[in-house]
Amino acid sequence: MPRLTTSVLVSIALVLGLVACSPPTTQTPPVDTAVHTDASAPPDGAVDVVIPDGVIGTAELTSAPDGCVLTPGAVGTITWDLPDSRPGLLAVDTGARFGAGGATASADGAPLSYRAVADDTLNDIAERFGITDDDLGFLNPLTSRQLQAGDDLNLQVALRGGASVSPPWA
């Protein structure tokens, strides 16, 4: 019986320790950024993350509240600023052909997306839009190289992250 009582008391103490975190303070102490960057932090509290090729992101960090067992040292948001890895990548529709006979959705004359039909190949689709197979793979991070009829392929760098386009067949 004493072992059960000890287990219950330890469990209660652990739960109280986890839920008894102090609320965030209204005044946030500064975060030491010396170990995270080679440059000193700008006065606005932003921290540049420096890598050999340049700055790719800015983090705004605040100290986490004290008193919690599982609290991280700091919390914040990272804003990424990655350089364009494929400058000038622009798909131009040269017209339907065997192996690339599907429909495109366009805006202001620029193709936005392509819907594959039976017998389409990635190589022929890339050729139709004047880009390489590698460019098509960059625009559409595919888990499989198997193209199926009805698959929608992105043709715009700006839409690579999953922004949706209303296709003409919808």
Side-chain angles (χ1 to χ4, degrees), residues 70-104:
L70 301 175
T71 300
V75 293
T77 303
I78 298 175
T79 303
W80 295 105
D81 185 23
L82 298 173
D84 186 356
S85 63
R86 298 188 187 238
L89 176 56
L90 180 64
V92 177
D93 192 354
T94 60
R97 63 184 72 192
F98 181 77
T104 60

PDB file of all heavy atoms in Angstrom, residues 70-104:
ATOM      1  N   LEU A  70       8.589  21.567 -18.976  1.00  0.00           N
ATOM      2  CA  LEU A  70       8.863  21.256 -20.372  1.00  0.00           C
ATOM      3  C   LEU A  70       8.854  22.487 -21.274  1.00  0.00           C
ATOM      4  O   LEU A  70       8.547  22.386 -22.452  1.00  0.00           O
ATOM      5  CB  LEU A  70       7.842  20.226 -20.876  1.00  0.00           C
ATOM      6  CG  LEU A  70       7.806  18.910 -20.111  1.00  0.00           C
ATOM      7  CD1 LEU A  70       6.678  18.032 -20.618  1.00  0.00           C
ATOM      8  CD2 LEU A  70       9.139  18.189 -20.244  1.00  0.00           C
ATOM      9  N   THR A  71       9.199  23.650 -20.773  1.00  0.00           N
ATOM     10  CA  THR A  71       9.175  24.875 -21.554  1.00  0.00           C
ATOM     11  C   THR A  71      10.495  25.064 -22.303  1.00  0.00           C
ATOM     12  O   THR A  71      11.558  24.914 -21.721  1.00  0.00           O
ATOM     13  CB  THR A  71       8.947  26.088 -20.629  1.00  0.00           C
ATOM     14  OG1 THR A  71       7.703  25.912 -19.971  1.00  0.00           O
ATOM     15  CG2 THR A  71       8.909  27.365 -21.430  1.00  0.00           C
ATOM     16  N   PRO A  72      10.428  25.399 -23.582  1.00  0.00           N
ATOM     17  CA  PRO A  72      11.665  25.694 -24.313  1.00  0.00           C
ATOM     18  C   PRO A  72      12.269  27.006 -23.823  1.00  0.00           C
ATOM     19  O   PRO A  72      11.590  27.808 -23.187  1.00  0.00           O
ATOM     20  CB  PRO A  72      11.191  25.826 -25.764  1.00  0.00           C
ATOM     21  CG  PRO A  72       9.746  26.171 -25.661  1.00  0.00           C
ATOM     22  CD  PRO A  72       9.241  25.520 -24.404  1.00  0.00           C
ATOM     23  N   GLY A  73      13.540  27.236 -24.150  1.00  0.00           N
ATOM     24  CA  GLY A  73      14.221  28.448 -23.708  1.00  0.00           C
ATOM     25  C   GLY A  73      13.698  29.695 -24.386  1.00  0.00           C
ATOM     26  O   GLY A  73      13.696  30.775 -23.805  1.00  0.00           O
ATOM     27  N   ALA A  74      13.267  29.575 -25.631  1.00  0.00           N
ATOM     28  CA  ALA A  74      12.737  30.720 -26.369  1.00  0.00           C
ATOM     29  C   ALA A  74      11.736  30.213 -27.393  1.00  0.00           C
ATOM     30  O   ALA A  74      11.795  29.072 -27.831  1.00  0.00           O
ATOM     31  CB  ALA A  74      13.862  31.469 -27.062  1.00  0.00           C
ATOM     32  N   VAL A  75      10.823  31.085 -27.766  1.00  0.00           N
ATOM     33  CA  VAL A  75       9.841  30.771 -28.789  1.00  0.00           C
ATOM     34  C   VAL A  75       9.848  31.901 -29.798  1.00  0.00           C
ATOM     35  O   VAL A  75      10.237  33.025 -29.475  1.00  0.00           O
ATOM     36  CB  VAL A  75       8.416  30.587 -28.201  1.00  0.00           C
ATOM     37  CG1 VAL A  75       8.350  29.363 -27.324  1.00  0.00           C
ATOM     38  CG2 VAL A  75       7.980  31.820 -27.441  1.00  0.00           C
ATOM     39  N   GLY A  76       9.438  31.610 -31.007  1.00  0.00           N
ATOM     40  CA  GLY A  76       9.423  32.667 -31.997  1.00  0.00           C
ATOM     41  C   GLY A  76       8.992  32.181 -33.363  1.00  0.00           C
ATOM     42  O   GLY A  76       8.618  31.029 -33.560  1.00  0.00           O
ATOM     43  N   THR A  77       9.079  33.088 -34.304  1.00  0.00           N
ATOM     44  CA  THR A  77       8.684  32.844 -35.675  1.00  0.00           C
ATOM     45  C   THR A  77       9.883  33.080 -36.572  1.00  0.00           C
ATOM     46  O   THR A  77      10.608  34.049 -36.388  1.00  0.00           O
ATOM     47  CB  THR A  77       7.546  33.807 -36.087  1.00  0.00           C
ATOM     48  OG1 THR A  77       6.459  33.627 -35.188  1.00  0.00           O
ATOM     49  CG2 THR A  77       7.098  33.548 -37.504  1.00  0.00           C
ATOM     50  N   ILE A  78      10.066  32.204 -37.545  1.00  0.00           N
ATOM     51  CA  ILE A  78      11.146  32.381 -38.516  1.00  0.00           C
ATOM     52  C   ILE A  78      10.523  32.822 -39.829  1.00  0.00           C
ATOM     53  O   ILE A  78       9.578  32.210 -40.327  1.00  0.00           O
ATOM     54  CB  ILE A  78      11.937  31.085 -38.733  1.00  0.00           C
ATOM     55  CG1 ILE A  78      12.607  30.648 -37.440  1.00  0.00           C
ATOM     56  CG2 ILE A  78      12.980  31.279 -39.846  1.00  0.00           C
ATOM     57  CD1 ILE A  78      13.305  29.304 -37.530  1.00  0.00           C
ATOM     58  N   THR A  79      11.047  33.885 -40.401  1.00  0.00           N
ATOM     59  CA  THR A  79      10.643  34.345 -41.717  1.00  0.00           C
ATOM     60  C   THR A  79      11.764  33.979 -42.671  1.00  0.00           C
ATOM     61  O   THR A  79      12.886  34.465 -42.529  1.00  0.00           O
ATOM     62  CB  THR A  79      10.410  35.869 -41.725  1.00  0.00           C
ATOM     63  OG1 THR A  79       9.433  36.187 -40.736  1.00  0.00           O
ATOM     64  CG2 THR A  79       9.949  36.343 -43.085  1.00  0.00           C
ATOM     65  N   TRP A  80      11.472  33.099 -43.623  1.00  0.00           N
ATOM     66  CA  TRP A  80      12.489  32.630 -44.560  1.00  0.00           C
ATOM     67  C   TRP A  80      12.601  33.566 -45.740  1.00  0.00           C
ATOM     68  O   TRP A  80      11.614  34.094 -46.227  1.00  0.00           O
ATOM     69  CB  TRP A  80      12.146  31.219 -45.051  1.00  0.00           C
ATOM     70  CG  TRP A  80      12.178  30.214 -43.966  1.00  0.00           C
ATOM     71  CD1 TRP A  80      11.101  29.636 -43.356  1.00  0.00           C
ATOM     72  CD2 TRP A  80      13.334  29.679 -43.318  1.00  0.00           C
ATOM     73  NE1 TRP A  80      11.528  28.776 -42.375  1.00  0.00           N
ATOM     74  CE2 TRP A  80      12.898  28.781 -42.329  1.00  0.00           C
ATOM     75  CE3 TRP A  80      14.710  29.877 -43.482  1.00  0.00           C
ATOM     76  CZ2 TRP A  80      13.771  28.074 -41.521  1.00  0.00           C
ATOM     77  CZ3 TRP A  80      15.579  29.167 -42.665  1.00  0.00           C
ATOM     78  CH2 TRP A  80      15.105  28.278 -41.703  1.00  0.00           C
ATOM     79  N   ASP A  81      13.815  33.772 -46.200  1.00  0.00           N
ATOM     80  CA  ASP A  81      14.089  34.604 -47.363  1.00  0.00           C
ATOM     81  C   ASP A  81      15.100  33.863 -48.226  1.00  0.00           C
ATOM     82  O   ASP A  81      16.284  34.189 -48.236  1.00  0.00           O
ATOM     83  CB  ASP A  81      14.627  35.970 -46.926  1.00  0.00           C
ATOM     84  CG  ASP A  81      14.813  36.913 -48.095  1.00  0.00           C
ATOM     85  OD1 ASP A  81      14.148  36.716 -49.124  1.00  0.00           O
ATOM     86  OD2 ASP A  81      15.631  37.850 -47.978  1.00  0.00           O
ATOM     87  N   LEU A  82      14.625  32.830 -48.907  1.00  0.00           N
ATOM     88  CA  LEU A  82      15.498  32.004 -49.720  1.00  0.00           C
ATOM     89  C   LEU A  82      15.643  32.595 -51.112  1.00  0.00           C
ATOM     90  O   LEU A  82      14.666  33.082 -51.688  1.00  0.00           O
ATOM     91  CB  LEU A  82      14.928  30.586 -49.831  1.00  0.00           C
ATOM     92  CG  LEU A  82      14.802  29.827 -48.519  1.00  0.00           C
ATOM     93  CD1 LEU A  82      14.066  28.521 -48.727  1.00  0.00           C
ATOM     94  CD2 LEU A  82      16.162  29.588 -47.902  1.00  0.00           C
ATOM     95  N   PRO A  83      16.849  32.556 -51.648  1.00  0.00           N
ATOM     96  CA  PRO A  83      17.037  33.079 -53.000  1.00  0.00           C
ATOM     97  C   PRO A  83      16.326  32.190 -54.015  1.00  0.00           C
ATOM     98  O   PRO A  83      16.127  31.006 -53.789  1.00  0.00           O
ATOM     99  CB  PRO A  83      18.557  33.037 -53.193  1.00  0.00           C
ATOM    100  CG  PRO A  83      19.043  32.019 -52.231  1.00  0.00           C
ATOM    101  CD  PRO A  83      18.088  32.037 -51.071  1.00  0.00           C
ATOM    102  N   ASP A  84      15.959  32.772 -55.136  1.00  0.00           N
ATOM    103  CA  ASP A  84      15.313  32.024 -56.212  1.00  0.00           C
ATOM    104  C   ASP A  84      16.336  31.063 -56.795  1.00  0.00           C
ATOM    105  O   ASP A  84      17.353  31.476 -57.355  1.00  0.00           O
ATOM    106  CB  ASP A  84      14.816  32.996 -57.289  1.00  0.00           C
ATOM    107  CG  ASP A  84      14.011  32.320 -58.379  1.00  0.00           C
ATOM    108  OD1 ASP A  84      13.880  31.079 -58.362  1.00  0.00           O
ATOM    109  OD2 ASP A  84      13.505  33.043 -59.255  1.00  0.00           O
ATOM    110  N   SER A  85      16.082  29.761 -56.637  1.00  0.00           N
ATOM    111  CA  SER A  85      17.039  28.766 -57.110  1.00  0.00           C
ATOM    112  C   SER A  85      16.917  28.513 -58.612  1.00  0.00           C
ATOM    113  O   SER A  85      17.764  27.853 -59.199  1.00  0.00           O
ATOM    114  CB  SER A  85      16.879  27.455 -56.344  1.00  0.00           C
ATOM    115  OG  SER A  85      15.598  26.919 -56.593  1.00  0.00           O
ATOM    116  N   ARG A  86      15.869  29.032 -59.226  1.00  0.00           N
ATOM    117  CA  ARG A  86      15.678  28.861 -60.662  1.00  0.00           C
ATOM    118  C   ARG A  86      15.192  30.171 -61.274  1.00  0.00           C
ATOM    119  O   ARG A  86      14.054  30.267 -61.748  1.00  0.00           O
ATOM    120  CB  ARG A  86      14.686  27.744 -60.941  1.00  0.00           C
ATOM    121  CG  ARG A  86      15.209  26.412 -60.405  1.00  0.00           C
ATOM    122  CD  ARG A  86      14.355  25.286 -60.828  1.00  0.00           C
ATOM    123  NE  ARG A  86      14.834  24.106 -60.143  1.00  0.00           N
ATOM    124  CZ  ARG A  86      15.249  23.028 -60.766  1.00  0.00           C
ATOM    125  NH1 ARG A  86      15.251  22.970 -62.063  1.00  0.00           N
ATOM    126  NH2 ARG A  86      15.664  21.986 -60.079  1.00  0.00           N
ATOM    127  N   PRO A  87      16.061  31.180 -61.276  1.00  0.00           N
ATOM    128  CA  PRO A  87      15.633  32.467 -61.837  1.00  0.00           C
ATOM    129  C   PRO A  87      15.297  32.313 -63.327  1.00  0.00           C
ATOM    130  O   PRO A  87      15.967  31.598 -64.065  1.00  0.00           O
ATOM    131  CB  PRO A  87      16.846  33.374 -61.631  1.00  0.00           C
ATOM    132  CG  PRO A  87      18.000  32.463 -61.437  1.00  0.00           C
ATOM    133  CD  PRO A  87      17.452  31.193 -60.868  1.00  0.00           C
ATOM    134  N   GLY A  88      14.248  32.949 -63.715  1.00  0.00           N
ATOM    135  CA  GLY A  88      13.852  32.916 -65.121  1.00  0.00           C
ATOM    136  C   GLY A  88      13.062  31.687 -65.534  1.00  0.00           C
ATOM    137  O   GLY A  88      12.761  31.525 -66.716  1.00  0.00           O
ATOM    138  N   LEU A  89      12.699  30.821 -64.592  1.00  0.00           N
ATOM    139  CA  LEU A  89      11.909  29.640 -64.942  1.00  0.00           C
ATOM    140  C   LEU A  89      10.503  30.097 -65.316  1.00  0.00           C
ATOM    141  O   LEU A  89       9.758  30.606 -64.489  1.00  0.00           O
ATOM    142  CB  LEU A  89      11.856  28.649 -63.774  1.00  0.00           C
ATOM    143  CG  LEU A  89      10.974  27.410 -63.971  1.00  0.00           C
ATOM    144  CD1 LEU A  89      11.393  26.636 -65.218  1.00  0.00           C
ATOM    145  CD2 LEU A  89      11.030  26.530 -62.746  1.00  0.00           C
ATOM    146  N   LEU A  90      10.179  29.934 -66.588  1.00  0.00           N
ATOM    147  CA  LEU A  90       8.891  30.386 -67.090  1.00  0.00           C
ATOM    148  C   LEU A  90       8.379  29.367 -68.100  1.00  0.00           C
ATOM    149  O   LEU A  90       9.045  29.076 -69.096  1.00  0.00           O
ATOM    150  CB  LEU A  90       9.041  31.758 -67.760  1.00  0.00           C
ATOM    151  CG  LEU A  90       7.782  32.372 -68.344  1.00  0.00           C
ATOM    152  CD1 LEU A  90       6.757  32.661 -67.247  1.00  0.00           C
ATOM    153  CD2 LEU A  90       8.122  33.645 -69.096  1.00  0.00           C
ATOM    154  N   ALA A  91       7.222  28.821 -67.839  1.00  0.00           N
ATOM    155  CA  ALA A  91       6.607  27.867 -68.763  1.00  0.00           C
ATOM    156  C   ALA A  91       5.833  28.635 -69.828  1.00  0.00           C
ATOM    157  O   ALA A  91       5.113  29.583 -69.521  1.00  0.00           O
ATOM    158  CB  ALA A  91       5.675  26.935 -68.000  1.00  0.00           C
ATOM    159  N   VAL A  92       6.010  28.233 -71.087  1.00  0.00           N
ATOM    160  CA  VAL A  92       5.301  28.841 -72.213  1.00  0.00           C
ATOM    161  C   VAL A  92       4.662  27.701 -72.990  1.00  0.00           C
ATOM    162  O   VAL A  92       5.361  26.781 -73.442  1.00  0.00           O
ATOM    163  CB  VAL A  92       6.278  29.633 -73.121  1.00  0.00           C
ATOM    164  CG1 VAL A  92       5.540  30.193 -74.319  1.00  0.00           C
ATOM    165  CG2 VAL A  92       6.961  30.736 -72.336  1.00  0.00           C
ATOM    166  N   ASP A  93       3.341  27.753 -73.143  1.00  0.00           N
ATOM    167  CA  ASP A  93       2.627  26.675 -73.821  1.00  0.00           C
ATOM    168  C   ASP A  93       2.829  26.780 -75.329  1.00  0.00           C
ATOM    169  O   ASP A  93       2.448  27.780 -75.941  1.00  0.00           O
ATOM    170  CB  ASP A  93       1.139  26.738 -73.471  1.00  0.00           C
ATOM    171  CG  ASP A  93       0.379  25.492 -73.895  1.00  0.00           C
ATOM    172  OD1 ASP A  93       0.970  24.609 -74.558  1.00  0.00           O
ATOM    173  OD2 ASP A  93      -0.811  25.400 -73.561  1.00  0.00           O
ATOM    174  N   THR A  94       3.435  25.764 -75.925  1.00  0.00           N
ATOM    175  CA  THR A  94       3.652  25.738 -77.373  1.00  0.00           C
ATOM    176  C   THR A  94       2.580  24.926 -78.086  1.00  0.00           C
ATOM    177  O   THR A  94       2.668  24.724 -79.286  1.00  0.00           O
ATOM    178  CB  THR A  94       5.055  25.171 -77.702  1.00  0.00           C
ATOM    179  OG1 THR A  94       5.144  23.844 -77.195  1.00  0.00           O
ATOM    180  CG2 THR A  94       6.142  26.047 -77.102  1.00  0.00           C
ATOM    181  N   GLY A  95       1.590  24.450 -77.350  1.00  0.00           N
ATOM    182  CA  GLY A  95       0.476  23.741 -77.957  1.00  0.00           C
ATOM    183  C   GLY A  95       0.484  22.252 -77.697  1.00  0.00           C
ATOM    184  O   GLY A  95       1.518  21.660 -77.413  1.00  0.00           O
ATOM    185  N   ALA A  96      -0.710  21.675 -77.784  1.00  0.00           N
ATOM    186  CA  ALA A  96      -0.877  20.249 -77.521  1.00  0.00           C
ATOM    187  C   ALA A  96      -0.113  19.428 -78.542  1.00  0.00           C
ATOM    188  O   ALA A  96       0.072  19.847 -79.688  1.00  0.00           O
ATOM    189  CB  ALA A  96      -2.362  19.896 -77.558  1.00  0.00           C
ATOM    190  N   ARG A  97       0.356  18.271 -78.101  1.00  0.00           N
ATOM    191  CA  ARG A  97       1.091  17.333 -78.947  1.00  0.00           C
ATOM    192  C   ARG A  97       0.921  15.944 -78.372  1.00  0.00           C
ATOM    193  O   ARG A  97       0.458  15.802 -77.239  1.00  0.00           O
ATOM    194  CB  ARG A  97       2.568  17.715 -79.017  1.00  0.00           C
ATOM    195  CG  ARG A  97       3.231  17.626 -77.632  1.00  0.00           C
ATOM    196  CD  ARG A  97       4.652  18.094 -77.639  1.00  0.00           C
ATOM    197  NE  ARG A  97       4.625  19.537 -77.796  1.00  0.00           N
ATOM    198  CZ  ARG A  97       5.678  20.278 -78.076  1.00  0.00           C
ATOM    199  NH1 ARG A  97       6.838  19.723 -78.235  1.00  0.00           N
ATOM    200  NH2 ARG A  97       5.583  21.562 -78.206  1.00  0.00           N
ATOM    201  N   PHE A  98       1.340  14.929 -79.111  1.00  0.00           N
ATOM    202  CA  PHE A  98       1.268  13.578 -78.593  1.00  0.00           C
ATOM    203  C   PHE A  98       2.167  13.491 -77.366  1.00  0.00           C
ATOM    204  O   PHE A  98       3.304  13.940 -77.378  1.00  0.00           O
ATOM    205  CB  PHE A  98       1.717  12.554 -79.637  1.00  0.00           C
ATOM    206  CG  PHE A  98       1.624  11.142 -79.120  1.00  0.00           C
ATOM    207  CD1 PHE A  98       0.391  10.506 -79.038  1.00  0.00           C
ATOM    208  CD2 PHE A  98       2.752  10.479 -78.672  1.00  0.00           C
ATOM    209  CE1 PHE A  98       0.301   9.219 -78.536  1.00  0.00           C
ATOM    210  CE2 PHE A  98       2.668   9.186 -78.166  1.00  0.00           C
ATOM    211  CZ  PHE A  98       1.434   8.557 -78.099  1.00  0.00           C
ATOM    212  N   GLY A  99       1.650  12.945 -76.286  1.00  0.00           N
ATOM    213  CA  GLY A  99       2.402  12.828 -75.038  1.00  0.00           C
ATOM    214  C   GLY A  99       2.200  14.018 -74.121  1.00  0.00           C
ATOM    215  O   GLY A  99       2.684  14.051 -72.999  1.00  0.00           O
ATOM    216  N   ALA A 100       1.500  15.038 -74.628  1.00  0.00           N
ATOM    217  CA  ALA A 100       1.207  16.238 -73.829  1.00  0.00           C
ATOM    218  C   ALA A 100      -0.040  16.908 -74.399  1.00  0.00           C
ATOM    219  O   ALA A 100      -0.011  18.055 -74.836  1.00  0.00           O
ATOM    220  CB  ALA A 100       2.397  17.199 -73.832  1.00  0.00           C
ATOM    221  N   GLY A 101      -1.155  16.168 -74.396  1.00  0.00           N
ATOM    222  CA  GLY A 101      -2.382  16.654 -75.012  1.00  0.00           C
ATOM    223  C   GLY A 101      -3.421  17.164 -74.044  1.00  0.00           C
ATOM    224  O   GLY A 101      -4.567  17.392 -74.429  1.00  0.00           O
ATOM    225  N   GLY A 102      -3.048  17.367 -72.795  1.00  0.00           N
ATOM    226  CA  GLY A 102      -4.003  17.809 -71.787  1.00  0.00           C
ATOM    227  C   GLY A 102      -4.336  19.288 -71.875  1.00  0.00           C
ATOM    228  O   GLY A 102      -3.815  20.022 -72.707  1.00  0.00           O
ATOM    229  N   ALA A 103      -5.228  19.719 -70.981  1.00  0.00           N
ATOM    230  CA  ALA A 103      -5.681  21.106 -70.936  1.00  0.00           C
ATOM    231  C   ALA A 103      -4.850  21.911 -69.944  1.00  0.00           C
ATOM    232  O   ALA A 103      -4.309  21.367 -68.984  1.00  0.00           O
ATOM    233  CB  ALA A 103      -7.159  21.142 -70.525  1.00  0.00           C
ATOM    234  N   THR A 104      -4.766  23.197 -70.185  1.00  0.00           N
ATOM    235  CA  THR A 104      -4.041  24.084 -69.271  1.00  0.00           C
ATOM    236  C   THR A 104      -4.989  25.129 -68.697  1.00  0.00           C
ATOM    237  O   THR A 104      -5.963  25.514 -69.325  1.00  0.00           O
ATOM    238  CB  THR A 104      -2.883  24.821 -69.984  1.00  0.00           C
ATOM    239  OG1 THR A 104      -3.420  25.612 -71.040  1.00  0.00           O
ATOM    240  CG2 THR A 104      -1.860  23.863 -70.528  1.00  0.00           C
TER     241      THR A 104
END
